[in-house]
Amino acid sequence: MADYQSLDIRRRSASTDSSPDVRGAIEVAKLIDVSKCIGCKACQAACMEWNDLRSPIGDNIGVYTNPQDLDPNTWTLMRFTEYENPDGNLEWLIRKDGCMHCSDPGCLKACPSPGAIVQYQNGIVDFISENCIGCTYCVKGCPFNIPRISSVDRKAYKCTLCVDRVSVGQAPACAKSCPTQAIVFGTKADMIAHADERIIDLKTRGFTNAGLYDPPGVGGTHVMYVLHHADSPQLYANLPKDPKISTLVAIWKGGLKVAGLGLMAAAAVGSFFHYVAKGPDEVDDHDEMAAERMKEESDRS
Amino acid sequence: MTRDVPHTTSDGGLTYVSRYTTVQRINHWVTAALFTMLTLSGLSLFHPSLFFLTGLFGGGPSTRAIHPWFGVVLFLSFLMLFFRFWSLNLPNRDDIEWSKRIGDVVSNRHDRLPELGKYNAGQKIVFWGQSILITCMFLSGLVIWDQYFGTYTSIEPKRVALLIHSLAALCAILIIFVHVYAGIWIKGTGRAMMRGNVTGGWAYRHHRKWLRKEAAAHGIASEAEIYAAHHPAPATKAEPPAK
Ligand code: HEM
Ligand code: SF4
């Protein structure tokens, strides 16, 4: 259990500040063992309770997933999938959806507002609402489709990994409430070690493809899953197999910004030196006299 | 001569040709003002080093909120400009010749350039470039205008739209850079958009074919004629009837 994590900031959106590195950070992680989850939604309720969130009552469309999607008041959501395996048996796959707290967060990369998204040294990615301008760029940057914009205040919301609890040495509310300990929380290294034991156990029980979901495309995540079918994460309500920041977003936030500023500066400097080199294009007396002659001619006719 | 100004003989002063009507000039400057505000508000989100520009629009959230509205008004205003000027901007043979001699153009060597109609190829590129780019920005802008149109598309098309929007904005800003610089470099151009006319010499130097046409169709006004047109002589008082 990580105690009193430093709240030093590793990355800050739209900022060039360098991170303080003297203290050497301990990274934390939440491990969700899908194989142990019984779908009781205690975590979902605990999240609402701790963060004081209430979604408006929605419609029952005949599935257990409720509400139907993440929203500004639903930061974590149990997604239920009925999967018929090749043996013809039904498997009820239940995945706790929410922010994955990527090491390389697409939301933070896309955000144009300085300090609206921060990543703490412990790996938690958090939205600082007072700096959020509601542009929804984070929604486009996220490879997991997590942030939601409130229609009330036009600000972005998502799971904070209970940064307020973690910073005082408490586990996130969801982990605390889970009756089967399918959700556990600690240092990332400890969680990986714990996952390894669970995976060995699952393999002995016939789940030969059991494995850890800590996708390298986003530099690893600070919310990880133990999956019985780690070879096909899409089975779990479309968990992306190889998530990474979209190439479109990478171009937009990478080369285009640099090239854009460079070209604009070049245009300004170039025009200035053209003027210096060639001088203004001025109308001379010859031109005016020629025009006057044309006037005389046209007046005469 | 069809001009409704008193006909006097040339006095050796400057001559003038009218180039833009009052409505055209207002339309142009409304568009220019909106484009400037869109550039400032858009660039503030484009690069962190320009985020301070949001201060001009009352902070981040209000900049984000107002930018698309400026865009809608710009689109309408530009549409009016478009319908006023598109036919004058159709390309012709002279444009090819002029473009081949771009080296002479930037060196102020007018003696080596072909006679031109109302617009040169550079001006036409500005016109068509802005027409295409503003349409692109309008359409992509709607896709990323989350507050009203967020539910119509999924995330992938929005990513494409954002890339198109910022790319188109960059190209449009560069074109406007050149457009503004041309106005500074080519002396005597400003009064076309400020006052509505240019000197005969300016027209002779830059758009001689257009000047010939104007001379034939409407005539060229002298300084005295312009003055007279703007300062009508006071009506002479009638003599009081004799008692
Ligand atoms: C024609 C109608 C336009 C519409 C509807 C529109 C809409 C938008 C929207 C919705 C955004 C996202 C930020 C926000 O919500 O405010 C945006 C960003 C932006 N717009 Fe526009 N816009 C338009 C025209 C323009 C023009 C004419 C320019 C400048 C030449 C421009 C430059 C930009 C830039 C640079 C960004 C930031 C892109 C980035 O972050 O990389 N826009 N626009
Ligand atoms: S909506 Fe807020 S958090 Fe998301 S990218 Fe925009 S400013 Fe950043």
Side-chain angles (χ1 to χ4, degrees):
Chain A
M1 177 66 228
D3 236 18
Y4 288 100
Q5 283 297 317
S6 151
L7 283 187
D8 282 348
I9 285 170
R10 185 193 298 167
R11 264 191 267 215
R12 194 172 178 270
S13 58
S15 311
T16 48
D17 333 6
S18 57
S19 61
D21 289 326
V22 168
R23 279 194 274 193
I26 300 169
E27 290 193 30
V28 297
K30 181 161 77 183
L31 182 70
I32 302 168
D33 185 346
V34 171
S35 68
K36 274 172 130 185
C37 173
I38 55 170
C40 70
K41 300 187 190 178
C43 52
Q44 206 177 310
C47 178
M48 290 166 65
E49 184 79 3
W50 176 256
N51 294 300
D52 200 11
L53 300 166
R54 298 291 181 278
S55 233
I57 293 172
D59 301 312
N60 185 338
I61 58 160
V63 296
Y64 278 86
T65 308
N66 175 32
Q68 290 158 39
D69 196 6
L70 293 170
D71 63 49
N73 291 297
T74 305
W75 296 353
T76 191
L77 176 66
M78 303 312 291
R79 294 189 184 272
F80 295 76
T81 308
E82 290 169 21
Y83 166 58
E84 210 172 311
N85 68 20
D87 301 337
N89 287 330
L90 181 77
E91 288 182 29
W92 208 18
L93 306 179
I94 309 162
R95 175 167 70 89
K96 179 181 179 296
D97 195 11
C99 177
M100 302 294 285
H101 298 270
C102 308
S103 287
D104 185 12
C107 58
L108 191 148
K109 183 165 193 149
C111 179
S113 182
I117 304 180
V118 297
Q119 181 182 46
Y120 297 107
Q121 287 286 20
N122 63 15
I124 295 180
V125 178
D126 201 15
F127 286 6
I128 310 297
S129 296
E130 67 177 76
N131 295 330
C132 172
I133 65 170
C135 62
T136 73
Y137 287 7
C138 49
V139 177
K140 289 138 200 162
C142 176
F144 293 97
N145 184 15
I146 300 299
R148 294 291 184 272
I149 308 290
S150 160
S151 56
V152 177
D153 58 14
R154 311 275 342 143
K155 288 187 186 292
Y157 292 98
K158 67 160 189 73
C159 157
T160 67
L161 206 67
C162 282
V163 64
D164 47 351
R165 293 174 58 85
V166 171
S167 62
V168 294
Q170 295 286 313
C174 55
K176 180 122 185 170
S177 68
C178 178
T180 65
Q181 289 183 18
I183 309 172
V184 286
F185 180 79
T187 67
K188 181 152 179 176
D190 284 354
M191 292 302 103
I192 290 174
H194 178 62
D196 286 345
E197 289 168 20
R198 287 293 306 138
I199 289 160
I200 290 167
D201 181 51
L202 281 168
K203 284 190 170 161
T204 61
R205 291 160 185 261
F207 291 105
T208 48
N209 291 319
L212 178 68
Y213 186 82
D214 179 24
V218 290
T221 53
H222 296 88
V223 170
M224 304 182 294
Y225 292 111
V226 170
L227 303 175
H228 4 40
H229 308 292
D231 56 329
S232 37
Q234 316 88 287
L235 291 178
Y236 303 85
N238 290 321
L239 183 63
K241 188 170 171 78
D242 183 20
K244 51 180 185 308
I245 296 178
S246 157
T247 317
L248 294 167
V249 174
I251 296 173
W252 165 50
K253 284 287 162 176
L256 184 63
K257 308 261 114 150
V258 182
L261 283 195
L263 282 170
M264 283 187 272
V269 174
S271 325
F272 178 77
F273 282 107
H274 172 261
Y275 201 87
V276 170
K278 302 288 185 180
D281 186 332
E282 279 167 323
V283 179
D284 53 30
D285 288 348
H286 166 81
D287 296 321
E288 297 294 3
M289 271 149 58
E292 211 179 314
R293 275 197 303 281
M294 274 170 77
K295 171 180 167 55
E296 280 159 15
E297 271 165 38
S298 74
D299 283 356
R300 236 177 282 127
S301 58
Chain B
M1 162 121 194
T2 54
R3 214 184 165 83
D4 56 352
V5 288
H7 189 148
T8 58
T9 50
S10 172
D11 53 5
L14 291 176
T15 52
Y16 293 92
V17 209
S18 74
R19 194 163 162 88
Y20 295 113
T21 65
T22 308
V23 175
Q24 286 169 338
R25 279 177 277 147
I26 291 173
N27 195 172
H28 172 270
W29 287 116
V30 167
T31 309
L34 286 162
F35 191 90
T36 307
M37 293 195 287
L38 278 153
T39 300
L40 293 173
S41 55
L43 285 183
S44 72
L45 306 186
F46 179 73
H47 196 280
S49 64
L50 300 175
F51 189 80
F52 73 94
L53 291 171
T54 53
L56 296 173
F57 303 92
S62 45
T63 305
R64 183 266 305 154
I66 200 149
H67 173 94
W69 287 110
F70 284 152
V72 171
V73 185
L74 171 88
F75 186 68
L76 296 177
S77 172
F78 187 83
L79 214 57
M80 288 197 263
L81 272 188
F82 181 85
F83 286 114
R84 289 208 166 91
F85 293 116
W86 73 271
S87 56
L88 291 163
N89 280 281
L90 294 174
N92 60 34
R93 278 179 197 289
D94 298 333
D95 295 331
I96 301 170
E97 190 56 29
W98 185 90
S99 308
K100 282 190 193 145
R101 300 191 170 275
I102 192 71
D104 292 323
V105 173
V106 298
S107 310
N108 307 333
R109 290 298 303 267
H110 288 269
D111 51 320
R112 298 196 195 149
L113 298 176
E115 292 192 4
L116 294 177
K118 189 161 186 180
Y119 296 112
N120 63 37
Q123 292 164 306
K124 289 177 186 177
I125 289 173
V126 172
F127 179 83
W128 291 109
Q130 288 302 85
S131 304
I132 293 165
L133 292 168
I134 287 177
T135 309
C136 284
M137 284 188 280
F138 179 65
L139 297 176
S140 61
L142 295 185
V143 175
I144 56 175
W145 196 353
D146 190 80
Q147 191 160 358
Y148 302 106
F149 303 97
T151 54
Y152 293 98
T153 51
S154 61
I155 290 178
E156 195 60 14
K158 287 179 190 170
R159 288 178 180 146
V160 176
L162 249 175
L163 190 58
I164 291 177
H165 195 80
S166 41
L167 207 60
L170 177 62
C171 296
I173 292 168
L174 288 173
I175 287 182
I176 290 303
F177 242 97
V178 176
H179 179 66
V180 171
Y181 174 67
I184 296 170
W185 161 44
I186 314 272
K187 298 296 169 197
T189 307
R191 67 176 292 139
M193 261 315 159
M194 294 308 278
R195 315 256 307 256
N197 59 24
V198 288
T199 69
W202 184 92
Y204 183 84
R205 185 178 177 85
H206 300 291
H207 301 280
R208 203 167 300 164
K209 266 189 191 166
W210 171 69
L211 176 65
R212 290 187 204 289
K213 248 169 87 181
E214 285 297 299
H218 310 292
I220 307 173
S222 70
E223 211 153 357
E225 287 162 351
I226 296 262
Y227 183 84
H230 286 94
H231 302 83
T236 43
K237 263 199 195 131
E239 285 288 311
K243 285 262 161 76

